[in-house]
Amino acid sequence: GHFHYSSIRHWRDKMLVNVGPCNISPNDEDKRARYCVFTWTGTKWEVQRMFVPYDTSLEAPALRASGMPHADHYAKYND
């Protein structure tokens, strides 16, 4: 599966990081692109979640033109 949200979770001795979407998401009002910066401190990983604006005006038309099933349903979130 996949997720449409950004998260950092800890499970046992592991850190689980989901960067999140960089696209139209019906589950998230935040339309910024996401990425993470991982830094090894010598003893553990630190994660910085980064959110940056990007021009979404071409995304909905490209999605509709892609032929992806249900594209119109998802594209409406960026109209």
Side-chain angles (χ1 to χ4, degrees):
H2 62 279
F3 300 97
H4 288 277
Y5 57 88
S6 177
S7 66
I8 298 174
R9 297 180 183 193
H10 296 275
W11 179 71
R12 299 185 183 177
D13 63 338
K14 306 287 185 222
M15 181 182 348
L16 308 173
V17 179
N18 181 21
V19 175
C22 178
N23 61 358
I24 298 170
S25 175
N27 304 318
D28 192 346
E29 296 285 324
D30 190 339
K31 301 300 183 200
R32 295 176 294 171
R34 293 141 166 101
Y35 67 95
C36 288
V37 175
F38 294 80
T39 305
W40 179 249
T41 68
T43 58
K44 66 177 185 167
W45 286 101
E46 290 184 355
V47 180
Q48 269 187 292
R49 293 188 301 170
M50 310 300 285
F51 298 81
V52 293
Y54 76 107
D55 182 4
T56 61
S57 66
L58 300 176
E59 192 167 358
L63 183 57
R64 286 188 173 99
S66 72
M68 181 180 114
H70 313 293
D72 197 51
H73 169 77
Y74 293 105
K76 73 180 179 184
Y77 294 102
N78 202 46
D79 286 335

